[in-house]
Amino acid sequence: MSKDIVVFDVATTGLEVLKDEIIEFAALRIRDGEIQGTCHFLVLPEQEITNKVLNLTGIKVEELDGACHLDEHSHEIQEFFQDAVLVGHRITFLLSLLERKLNVRFQQSQWDTLELARIFFPTVHDYQLPYLAERLPLALQEGARGHRSEMNAWLTWKLFETCRKKSLEFDLSFFDQTKGLLEGWAGRGFIDQSHKEITRRFPDRQIRTDIVLAPLSEGIFSSDTNQTDKIPVSIDWVVDCFSPGGILEQNLIGYESRPGQVKMAKLIAEGLTSSQHVVVEAGTGTGKSFAYLLPCLWSAKKTGKKVVVATHTIPLQEQLQKKDIPILETILPFSFKVSVLKGKSNYCCLKSLQGYMTNPREISREEQRLALLSILVWIRETQTGDLQELSKVPGLIQIWASLNADNETCIPGKCSKAGLCFLLRARKKAEEADLLIVNHSLLFADLKTDYNVLPEYHQLVIDEAHQVYQTALQHLGSDMSLENVTRIIDNIYKLTGQNFYGLVKQRLGPLTHRVPSVAWEIFEKRLDDLPENCSMVVEQAKELFQLLLLIIGKERTYRFVASHSTQTWWGTLNIQFENLIGRIKALIAVLESLKSALSGEDAEEIEELKYVLVGHQRELQALLDTLILVLNVHNPKQVTWLEQNSRLYLKTSPIEVSDILKEKIFSRFDSVILTSATLSISNSFEHFLRDIGLPNTTRTAQVDSPFDYEQQMRLFVVKKGLGQYDSDEEKAENLSEFITEVAERMNGRTLVLFTAHKLLRDTYASLNPKLSRIGIETLAQGFHGERSTILEAFKRNPKSVLLGANSFWEGIDIPGDTLSCVILVKLPFWPPSLPLIEARSEFLKSLGRDPFQELLLPEAVIRFKQGFGRLIRSKGDRGVVILLDDRVIEKYYGRFFLNSLPIGTHIRGGNSLILRKLEEWKAMELG
């Protein structure tokens, strides 16, 4: 490089530029990859430094003796920075601190290694320096003294060098593609320097005009089937695999045969071979994924019939794909093909990407342009084109809507990129697979479209089956928002930007010459009806949603019921619904007239036009179907409601799905296996079977966990927990005090599960300063990023407390001593006022049934079991679960909760007793 770079970092008392102070500064001056000079000093702050800051920075209080104030180092810093490019991790924050404290402005080029890392390493899911150091990996400094800023400055340099090295590996077309995205970005000089260096050092580097993709590597999921494989015939072979001395024990280090796993595998193999449905509750540690994967692979190879495995959560899907299947591939005596298929919106559309790149100036936000740079790097590396691989960097989700394969112009078979298409690749692999892994959502999308999404299959495994009922309600219902209506209409016509009307108008001239047999004058006349009809739909939708906003007011939900039909406002609302229905029908008619003008022609361009028209009609018809369902408030098996968060939704859903599941799943497939760790209530499957439409004669089994819960954990129930406090403020304050007491004794390592987001937020506000004073970090849902980010932060720093609500009650796997305590704030009953719960309760009452016993209680018990199950994830785990809701011992229904747990004993008492017992347990564990 022609200029020196100065890599620097500062440590502060917090993250607020206007309030917090710098307490350490470290910088390296680099020329041609060599350190030319260093600058490091501690700074005497005006305010007292907390233990948390001292722990994070590695600074000792006595080291600050003799330290100067920052302004005394001003000349030294400016001199060190002179005539250099400044490099830092989150450099805007670092420089704004320095500039404000020193009252100077640094005018030279500034490159942010956070931005560079996001661009050049787009699949790293955390960009904090310690994580990057481990993941990439970055060379650590020999003999580092342990101060945070010194170490960070070194790691920033190494990260910079790693990004620079990778940037020199690209084809020259990468730099051509990035030109329009770099305007106004501070890091432009970095990309330009790399481009110049490649041109100078590698004059023969190729230039490609098309999109550059990674070379195709089929991997184990598409290996050629060995036709000479001999597939074992007897179920006994499956049982032997799991038995002592079987192939699992022979080939897997540390594997132990488990009676529960043997039992489960045998049951599933019998169900598959005899075309029976089987329900298995498998306790944590059973090894249930192997217990169904191995029999399924054996059955698929033996019969030639594909098996589909459906999971609810992404972590489980990734465990099957990246961990379990590769293990089985190495040890089973026959080859097989396994594939993962996701919804269209998960895959990058190369045609859309290429189109998006043609007008980079239309991408106004810098974060979106940088996200597109990340995608240009990723597209050269990915084998799948799957969004899940990408880190969710700022701007990505906004541009992904324009880049994914779920768009009306996507015609996979006739696309110019068909030979490279990620979606087509995934579908081809799915067709060829013996076992196909999908999620619950895609499974129900297949059912909803009369089996037009997944390839033909005959046997089905539903893991995390406790979620099936809720997922069915969600996917067999429908919703609409003003934003959704506007998006659908904008795709057909809008004044600016890409849309169907504009594209067809542009192509009319060439089309007239290529396909002269079409009556293009008539077609164009009908086409010109689109703008007015589209505008009328949007205008009417806005009127409707303005009225709906008035109806819902400040409430989060508002349910429409039969009695509303007699009220005057319902008549006004009905007119709005009917008007919108009429205008959507008129727009559909225009699209139909365009299609009819093209009938009888089969030229490729005409087929593409007809395909797009049908796609628009399908989306509009879905809106119509939703509106027609909404109008009928007298249907006792349907519920309609308004729901608002960031936007207002009009939602409708069936109340009962058992008949639909019976017809669409259990009557259609040869064998369906349903499994989860939480299906029974007090050892009974009655609730689960009734909900999903299976008879009580269905073959069921409970497989106990191999863990010794009585030895590995304690269950504490706090008497008079939060119930004794009236106000939310009192509850939050007292809860934060109790959590602090527990966290101090457990040295962090605590997960707190809430049922209400408001109490979580209030508790966080009170708890955070308390824990900060004793050097424990507080992580909270809604404050520290998405779930995966918070979990990674918790795993990296066990000396922390994690506050989570609904989504944290399940699907979290933190084995080892990182998590030693789970606090359940309340029994997880759904609020009875939720529209769907309220409607289902009324429906059960109308049948003479008890909604509490048949709906609210069973749902709460299942969620309670899920929350409890977050603690013990392996035989070596130790810890405590603390329940702050004494209804479990004071109310008659408490026994259903306690009897559903794998532990038979608990300790109950007031706060002081529980804290004392906690100390006794910890002393015993340490002793």
Side-chain angles (χ1 to χ4, degrees):
M1 285 183 58
S2 56
K3 269 192 168 186
D4 289 3
I5 65 165
V6 168
V7 184
F8 73 101
D9 186 70
V10 301
T12 66
T13 55
L15 296 175
E16 294 182 34
V17 172
L18 298 177
K19 172 184 167 188
D20 291 302
E21 295 186 73
I22 293 172
I23 56 172
E24 183 186 10
F25 175 90
L28 305 171
R29 192 173 183 100
I30 312 293
R31 183 182 306 147
D32 297 327
E34 299 290 335
I35 297 176
Q36 302 300 307
T38 62
C39 181
H40 174 254
F41 48 79
L42 299 178
V43 178
L44 188 66
E46 300 288 344
Q47 56 186 274
E48 186 181 351
I49 306 176
T50 64
N51 288 330
K52 180 181 177 181
V53 172
L54 292 173
N55 290 335
L56 282 172
T57 58
I59 296 171
K60 296 182 175 63
V61 175
E62 56 268 23
E63 289 182 291
L64 292 170
D65 293 342
C68 305
H69 293 293
L70 184 67
D71 53 9
E72 296 179 50
H73 292 283
S74 179
H75 179 71
E76 184 182 359
I77 293 171
Q78 292 180 63
E79 185 101 343
F80 200 82
F81 279 6
Q82 194 169 358
D83 297 326
V85 176
L86 303 183
V87 177
H89 204 68
R90 292 185 170 85
I91 195 167
T92 304
F93 170 73
L94 299 177
L95 276 180
S96 59
L97 270 170
L98 277 176
E99 289 177 341
R100 184 174 180 279
K101 304 300 182 188
L102 300 177
N103 196 26
V104 297
R105 289 283 294 168
F106 297 106
Q107 301 295 337
Q108 57 260 65
S109 297
Q110 300 160 15
W111 296 345
D112 192 341
T113 52
L114 172 63
E115 292 177 341
L116 295 177
R118 285 171 173 170
I119 291 166
F120 291 106
F121 298 96
T123 60
V124 175
H125 288 272
D126 189 328
Y127 291 95
Q128 294 190 63
L129 278 172
Y131 184 80
L132 289 169
E134 187 180 318
R135 173 74 189 272
L136 291 180
L138 304 176
L140 298 177
Q141 185 178 13
E142 291 183 18
R145 284 164 47 199
H147 284 174
R148 194 187 75 166
S149 286
E150 278 188 298
M151 188 174 293
N152 281 358
W154 174 275
L155 290 176
T156 301
W157 174 36
K158 290 302 163 187
L159 176 58
F160 173 83
E161 290 290 329
T162 304
C163 291
R164 184 169 168 275
K165 183 180 176 183
K166 186 168 182 182
S167 73
L168 298 178
E169 297 170 1
F170 288 107
D171 53 279
L172 290 172
S173 53
F174 170 79
F175 297 96
D176 289 338
Q177 290 165 357
T178 62
K179 278 178 185 173
L181 301 172
L182 301 177
E183 197 171 322
W185 176 47
R188 176 175 189 158
F190 178 91
I191 304 290
D192 290 342
Q193 287 273 5
S194 297
H195 189 190
K196 286 176 187 173
E197 189 165 348
I198 289 173
T199 308
R200 178 176 57 82
R201 289 175 54 190
F202 310 105
D204 298 331
R205 184 70 59 86
Q206 64 177 357
I207 302 176
R208 297 266 296 275
T209 54
D210 201 1
I211 291 177
V212 179
L213 302 178
L216 198 57
S217 169
E218 296 298 342
I220 64 169
F221 299 117
S222 290
S223 56
D224 289 335
T225 302
N226 184 348
Q227 297 300 325
T228 62
D229 283 346
K230 289 187 178 179
I231 312 301
V233 176
S234 171
I235 287 176
D236 293 340
W237 175 83
V238 174
V239 175
D240 290 342
C241 287
F242 292 91
S243 300
I247 63 169
L248 291 174
E249 203 168 85
Q250 288 173 29
N251 291 280
L252 300 181
I253 296 170
Y255 177 86
E256 292 179 10
S257 176
R258 286 160 274 187
Q261 193 180 37
V262 177
K263 176 184 175 182
M264 181 175 176
K266 184 181 180 187
L267 271 171
I268 289 171
E270 288 172 349
L272 294 170
T273 53
S274 60
S275 296
Q276 286 183 304
H277 304 321
V278 179
V279 175
V280 185
E281 181 179 72
T284 307
T286 301
K288 66 179 166 67
S289 56
F290 271 18
Y292 63 70
L293 285 175
L294 195 151
C296 286
L297 289 166
W298 166 74
S299 174
K301 294 295 292 184
K302 187 165 73 81
T303 63
K305 294 180 177 180
K306 189 189 307 292
V307 181
V308 167
V309 173
T311 74
H312 182 67
T313 59
I314 290 169
L316 177 56
Q317 198 173 68
E318 293 196 337
Q319 176 198 314
L320 298 181
Q321 178 189 7
K322 296 177 181 177
K323 181 183 173 187
D324 298 338
I325 291 297
I327 289 172
L328 291 174
E329 206 270 344
T330 62
I331 66 175
L332 291 186
F334 51 82
S335 58
F336 54 83
K337 293 182 180 180
V338 175
S339 178
V340 176
L341 186 64
K342 299 183 178 181
K344 290 175 71 175
S345 63
N346 288 278
Y347 297 100
C348 182
C349 172
L350 296 172
K351 188 176 179 181
S352 296
L353 175 61
Q354 201 164 42
Y356 204 62
M357 289 299 303
T358 57
N359 294 305
R361 291 179 189 279
E362 288 189 10
I363 310 168
S364 57
R365 294 176 67 93
E366 181 176 279
E367 63 181 24
Q368 293 178 7
R369 294 200 300 274
L370 296 185
L372 194 52
L373 286 175
S374 298
I375 289 173
L376 288 175
V377 172
W378 169 70
I379 211 73
R380 288 162 162 78
E381 301 171 345
T382 180
Q383 293 286 321
T384 67
D386 180 0
L387 168 67
Q388 194 58 40
E389 294 177 355
L390 281 167
S391 176
K392 305 306 180 288
V393 298
L396 175 70
I397 298 305
Q398 289 78 9
I399 65 171
W400 188 259
S402 302
L403 301 179
N404 72 68
D406 190 12
N407 63 73
E408 75 284 350
T409 60
C410 177
I411 315 171
K414 297 191 175 181
C415 177
S416 59
K417 304 293 180 192
L420 305 171
C421 176
F422 293 118
L423 177 60
L424 281 185
R425 280 191 209 175
R427 285 179 174 172
K428 183 174 182 290
K429 287 185 176 184
E431 289 280 358
E432 296 171 350
D434 301 302
L435 185 142
L436 176 61
I437 300 169
V438 301
N439 63 16
H440 289 183
S441 296
L442 198 62
L443 174 68
F444 282 102
D446 188 50
L447 305 185
K448 203 170 180 178
T449 58
D450 288 327
Y451 314 100
N452 285 321
V453 174
L454 302 180
E456 184 180 357
Y457 63 101
H458 301 273
Q459 295 170 322
L460 173 64
V461 175
I462 302 179
D463 199 346
E464 301 176 303
H466 62 281
Q467 287 283 359
V468 163
Y469 193 91
Q470 288 297 332
T471 308
L473 286 171
Q474 180 185 339
H475 286 274
L476 298 174
S478 58
D479 62 54
M480 64 186 292
S481 64
L482 179 59
E483 291 79 2
N484 185 33
V485 176
T486 305
R487 179 191 62 79
I488 291 170
I489 299 303
D490 281 351
N491 285 336
I492 301 171
Y493 168 77
K494 60 182 173 181
L495 283 170
T496 58
Q498 200 174 56
N499 61 86
F500 171 77
Y501 174 83
L503 287 172
V504 175
K505 274 285 192 181
Q506 286 174 16
R507 294 173 58 191
L508 269 178
L511 282 170
T512 304
H513 292 294
R514 280 203 287 270
V515 194
S517 53
V518 171
W520 290 110
E521 286 184 13
I522 295 172
F523 181 89
E524 186 171 13
K525 188 177 179 184
R526 294 172 181 175
L527 184 70
D528 286 334
D529 289 335
L530 281 179
E532 184 181 357
N533 277 274
C534 286
S535 299
M536 289 172 71
V537 170
V538 172
E539 180 187 315
Q540 188 60 53
K542 284 179 179 176
E543 281 188 33
L544 170 63
F545 275 88
Q546 281 171 0
L547 179 56
L548 294 176
L549 275 170
L550 290 174
I551 291 169
I552 194 171
K554 293 182 179 179
E555 298 296 321
R556 202 175 90 74
T557 61
Y558 185 88
R559 180 181 160 216
F560 293 125
V561 294
S563 61
H564 289 156
S565 61
T566 62
Q567 297 185 23
T568 52
W569 61 263
W570 181 258
T572 308
L573 182 60
N574 240 13
I575 291 169
Q576 293 281 5
F577 281 137
E578 294 286 4
N579 287 347
L580 184 54
I581 287 170
R583 292 186 178 186
I584 292 173
K585 282 181 176 178
L587 180 53
I588 290 173
V590 174
L591 296 174
E592 185 61 36
S593 72
L594 290 170
K595 207 168 68 179
S596 66
L598 303 172
S599 62
E601 295 295 334
D602 58 1
E604 188 174 327
E605 296 94 332
I606 303 303
E607 286 297 308
E608 184 180 335
L609 264 179
K610 286 193 278 191
Y611 184 94
V612 174
L613 283 166
V614 168
H616 289 311
Q617 285 179 297
R618 193 186 306 117
E619 286 195 305
L620 290 168
Q621 187 60 49
L623 293 179
L624 272 186
D625 294 343
T626 300
L627 289 167
I628 289 164
L629 279 171
V630 163
L631 276 172
N632 185 8
V633 287
H634 295 282
N635 182 355
K637 291 192 173 183
Q638 191 78 18
V639 57
T640 297
W641 73 99
L642 298 173
E643 187 174 306
Q644 64 179 342
N645 33 62
S646 58
R647 60 180 60 170
L648 176 63
Y649 288 94
L650 176 62
K651 296 190 173 188
T652 183
S653 168
I655 289 169
E656 288 279 295
V657 293
S658 55
D659 289 341
I660 301 171
L661 295 179
K662 193 186 301 180
E663 175 199 342
K664 295 275 190 180
I665 295 181
F666 302 118
S667 298
R668 180 179 175 90
F669 300 115
D670 297 343
S671 177
V672 181
I673 312 297
L674 299 113
T675 185
S676 167
T678 53
L679 295 176
S680 70
I681 294 160
S682 292
N683 301 315
S684 169
F685 289 96
E686 183 183 352
H687 166 72
F688 178 73
L689 294 174
R690 183 178 58 236
D691 261 5
I692 64 170
L694 280 175
N696 281 331
T697 54
T698 302
R699 198 168 184 189
T700 62
Q702 282 181 283
V703 178
D704 293 334
S705 169
F707 302 152
D708 188 342
Y709 283 89
E710 301 289 349
Q711 287 297 317
Q712 289 182 242
M713 68 162 294
R714 294 289 182 270
L715 171 61
F716 299 134
V717 180
V718 178
K719 297 178 80 171
K720 291 186 168 39
L722 296 181
Q724 61 186 307
Y725 305 109
D726 296 326
S727 72
D728 292 344
E729 291 77 14
E730 279 183 307
K731 285 178 182 176
E733 179 59 33
N734 283 276
L735 179 55
S736 69
E737 287 176 6
F738 182 74
I739 294 171
T740 302
E741 295 279 4
V742 171
E744 190 168 14
R745 288 162 173 80
M746 301 302 292
N747 202 24
R749 306 175 191 279
T750 298
L751 169 66
V752 187
L753 295 175
F754 290 78
T755 58
H757 286 275
K758 185 181 185 304
L759 182 58
L760 186 156
R761 291 192 297 271
D762 292 347
T763 302
Y764 172 72
S766 176
L767 178 67
N768 188 36
K770 290 183 175 71
L771 290 182
S772 183
R773 282 193 289 271
I774 56 175
I776 295 175
E777 186 178 7
T778 312
L779 299 165
Q781 183 180 0
F783 291 89
H784 298 98
E786 58 186 37
R787 190 172 90 151
S788 59
T789 305
I790 298 173
L791 287 171
E792 284 300 326
F794 184 72
K795 289 174 184 176
R796 276 199 311 275
N797 177 24
K799 197 174 181 182
S800 55
V801 172
L802 196 166
L803 312 183
N806 296 341
S807 65
F808 282 78
W809 283 73
E810 63 178 282
I812 291 174
D813 193 0
I814 311 175
D817 62 0
T818 302
L819 176 62
S820 299
C821 177
V822 174
I823 298 175
L824 307 176
V825 175
K826 286 186 73 177
L827 294 176
F829 285 101
W830 290 116
S833 58
L834 287 178
L836 199 46
I837 298 294
E838 189 177 63
R840 286 174 68 189
S841 297
E842 289 172 10
F843 180 71
L844 289 171
K845 274 183 189 173
S846 72
L847 299 176
R849 291 156 61 183
D850 183 347
F852 181 78
Q853 289 288 345
E854 294 192 28
L855 173 61
L856 294 169
L857 180 59
E859 295 272 352
V861 171
I862 294 296
R863 289 184 72 214
F864 178 70
K865 288 171 70 176
Q866 283 286 336
F868 177 91
R870 295 315 94 209
L871 179 67
I872 303 298
R873 308 301 297 173
S874 70
K875 279 190 175 180
D877 288 354
R878 297 287 186 274
V880 298
V881 172
I882 303 174
L883 174 62
L884 302 181
D885 190 337
D886 63 1
R887 287 179 295 175
V888 79
I889 51 178
E890 297 294 339
K891 299 291 185 181
Y892 78 91
Y893 53 77
R895 68 179 187 275
F896 290 102
F897 290 92
L898 295 175
N899 291 345
S900 294
L901 296 178
I903 187 170
T905 59
H906 68 270
I907 296 169
R908 60 180 76 175
N911 283 11
S912 56
L913 174 67
I914 296 303
L915 291 172
R916 192 171 76 248
K917 291 293 181 183
L918 182 62
E919 288 172 359
E920 290 172 8
W921 172 83
K922 193 177 178 192
M924 183 181 71
E925 285 294 309
L926 293 173

